[in-house]
Amino acid sequence: MMSLTSKSIDFVGKNLIFGGCCSNGSFDSYIVRNYGKVNGGSKMVWCKRRSTQCGVSSVMKIVEPTLNGGTQAIQGLNGLDLKSYSGAPISPAQLFDVVADDLKTLNKNLQSIVGAENPVLMSAAEQIFSAGGKRMRPALVFLVSRATAELLGLNELTVKHRRLAEIIEMIHTASLIHDDVLDESDLRRGKETVHQLFGTRVAVLAGDFMFAQSSWYLANLENIEVIKLISQVIKDFASGEIKQASSLFDCDVQLDEYLVKSYYKTASLIAASTKGAAIFSGADNIIAEKMYEYGKNLGLSFQVVDDILDFTQSAEQLGKPAATDLSKGNLTAPVIFAMEKEPKLRDIIESEFSEPGSLDEAIELVKSCGGIERAQELAKEKADLAIQNLRCLPQSAFRLALEDMVAYNLQRIS
């Protein structure tokens, strides 16, 4: 028997057509809601869920006012894969509209927290803070905090929610500063890195200071579960760097090893962020673990997408040289998949690109041997798991923003 959940649609519009299923399977709902006033404005939010073993033909055309007075059109949605958002691309600003005030407060607090003790270190940190970052991690803290708070009838975030977001952003910034030193990167998001501007000594000290500062504020939260959770993240960063450094140009690296390293370097912090937010909302262990899994799967999907973009985007788009990881022997998902089909790629990598033009040849082999396409499937697989992890939350603008974050990530490679 085919199960078909009801469609929940709250809007005034037209041209909404759903086709039927042509085989046994399950189909989850399209949801379109007008949430009325959100942070002082009117906002329409929509999401679509997963289908399995089901042929669905759907056409959807909606034109609705958005928060900033423009319109958002969603049309021609054929199939239910997570990346098929038509119309205007999703932007981080749209995703985080519902927590925009929270992010403004965070930015002010970060400057006072970091700059209070040492203006030189603040100048170094500000180079990262102002380099075009999306504040994705603290935004996720706020979104999960508000989504889970609704379960317990909380109307406002607590001081601990806000402090957690600040701690997470400080830890992330510290890790970026240290990463750039280790990778000898000259650019981040198109701007000079901290060690390029201030020297390696100041960069290392700035990163150390922010790790220490975040640890002090973490201890003052006086929640042993969250303290252990976030402390593990800092340990994971180091473990990830060691794993990466010890496996450069190692063509025997397996996909599972790549995913473990990606968890340590990227997903661990996001998972801890989302679980910590749920804990401070008073959510039970089941909900908190689901939020951890959401953060982990979203983080892994993000890392895989970033590794794909390293091959598909230009240096200008990336804000750094393209194929940087491959050139330094860090073998990512697209390379691992491509090596399974093309033995020559393995030979080129093991030679450490000693021949002129060999790096360019390796890049072309990754693109032509299906490495990009298989990595895209991996990113979508992790994204689908992240969406499933959110089903424990009640419907709200905050849950839908969390779902849209997953779609935004996949949209980067659509």
Side-chain angles (χ1 to χ4, degrees):
M1 286 289 292
M2 177 184 65
S3 64
L4 178 66
T5 68
S6 63
K7 304 167 186 62
S8 175
I9 305 174
D10 298 327
F11 71 101
V12 177
K14 56 184 179 179
N15 294 340
L16 179 61
I17 305 169
F18 287 92
C21 294
C22 59
S23 64
N24 290 340
S26 63
F27 169 61
D28 284 343
S29 61
Y30 279 93
I31 297 175
V32 182
R33 296 184 185 280
N34 189 328
Y35 278 92
K37 296 293 182 180
V38 180
N39 280 354
S42 180
K43 183 178 179 66
M44 184 274 286
V45 197
W46 73 283
C47 72
K48 71 183 156 69
R49 300 279 171 71
R50 180 173 180 263
S51 69
T52 57
Q53 301 175 352
C54 182
V56 179
S57 172
S58 60
V59 177
M60 193 173 186
K61 184 177 181 182
I62 301 167
V63 179
E64 286 281 313
T66 61
L67 186 64
N68 60 11
T71 59
Q72 178 177 356
I74 306 166
Q75 53 190 342
L77 296 174
N78 295 315
L80 295 175
D81 62 295
L82 289 170
K83 74 174 183 176
S84 60
Y85 273 73
S86 299
I90 305 168
S91 71
Q94 288 174 305
L95 289 174
F96 303 151
D97 270 349
V98 290
V99 290
D101 290 341
D102 295 325
L103 289 172
K104 287 178 184 177
T105 302
L106 172 116
N107 288 334
K108 291 177 184 177
N109 289 347
L110 280 175
Q111 291 181 0
S112 62
I113 288 171
V114 178
E117 298 196 24
N118 196 312
V120 175
L121 293 180
M122 180 57 198
S123 296
E126 182 63 24
Q127 181 65 12
I128 292 286
F129 286 150
S130 64
K134 297 180 285 292
R135 298 285 193 273
M136 182 188 85
R137 289 155 189 82
L140 285 171
V141 171
F142 292 135
L143 288 171
V144 172
S145 296
R146 292 192 176 278
T148 52
E150 292 191 349
L151 286 169
L152 296 144
L154 298 178
N155 295 322
E156 191 47 70
L157 300 187
T158 66
V159 172
K160 291 186 176 182
H161 281 128
R162 297 189 184 281
R163 184 63 80 198
L164 176 64
E166 293 155 10
I167 289 167
I168 293 301
E169 186 65 4
M170 282 194 288
I171 290 174
H172 176 56
T173 301
S175 72
L176 295 183
I177 294 172
H178 281 180
D179 277 353
D180 289 338
V181 172
L182 290 171
D183 297 340
E184 299 179 342
S185 300
D186 297 333
L187 295 173
R188 176 170 290 279
R189 304 184 189 120
K191 293 190 176 186
E192 285 186 292
T193 53
V194 171
H195 69 89
Q196 276 291 104
L197 286 174
F198 300 95
T200 300
R201 182 182 178 85
V202 171
V204 171
L205 290 172
D208 288 348
F209 173 80
M210 296 191 75
F211 275 129
Q213 188 84 323
S214 63
S215 297
W216 188 85
Y217 281 109
L218 178 62
N220 279 275
L221 290 176
E222 298 182 345
N223 183 301
I224 191 63
E225 186 176 5
V226 174
I227 290 171
K228 290 167 69 174
L229 188 66
I230 306 300
S231 297
Q232 180 65 43
V233 170
I234 299 175
K235 177 176 175 286
D236 288 344
F237 280 148
S239 297
E241 288 295 342
I242 292 168
K243 278 186 174 292
Q244 180 169 302
S246 62
S247 61
L248 297 178
F249 296 102
D250 180 7
C251 292
D252 291 322
V253 66
Q254 300 296 307
L255 183 65
D256 285 348
E257 296 173 85
Y258 161 80
L259 289 172
V260 169
K261 182 193 69 177
S262 297
Y263 169 77
Y264 283 153
K265 294 194 66 179
T266 302
S268 175
L269 179 60
I270 298 175
S273 305
T274 49
K275 181 177 180 178
I279 290 171
F280 283 137
S281 293
D284 62 33
N285 289 337
I286 294 174
I287 299 294
E289 283 304 314
K290 288 291 186 183
M291 293 304 95
Y292 181 87
E293 290 297 315
Y294 167 78
K296 182 185 77 172
N297 287 310
L298 176 63
L300 290 173
S301 184
F302 251 93
Q303 185 59 58
V304 175
V305 168
D306 279 347
D307 292 338
I308 292 169
L309 295 178
D310 202 36
F311 288 96
T312 61
Q313 288 192 334
S314 65
E316 286 185 359
Q317 291 172 307
L318 290 168
K320 63 179 183 178
T324 299
D325 282 329
L326 179 58
S327 68
K328 295 179 178 179
N330 179 28
L331 308 187
T332 57
V335 180
I336 294 169
F337 286 130
M339 282 194 299
E340 293 177 4
K341 286 193 173 181
E342 181 50 74
K344 185 178 181 181
L345 177 59
R346 182 187 185 101
D347 295 337
I348 295 173
I349 293 171
E350 287 181 337
S351 75
E352 299 187 12
F353 311 113
S354 57
E355 297 294 326
S358 58
L359 176 59
D360 290 337
E361 184 179 3
I363 293 170
E364 288 306 312
L365 286 173
V366 170
K367 293 178 179 179
S368 63
C369 292
I372 303 298
E373 289 77 12
R374 289 189 64 188
Q376 288 173 333
E377 289 302 315
L378 176 62
K380 285 188 274 187
E381 174 188 319
K382 298 301 179 185
D384 188 57
L385 291 173
I387 289 290
Q388 292 180 44
N389 297 141
L390 293 173
R391 291 180 178 173
C392 61
L393 298 177
Q395 284 295 341
S396 69
F398 309 111
R399 171 179 160 173
L400 292 180
L402 290 167
E403 292 174 333
D404 281 353
M405 171 58 74
V406 178
Y408 161 75
N409 177 50
L410 293 183
Q411 189 181 69
R412 298 190 295 151
I413 52 172
S414 62

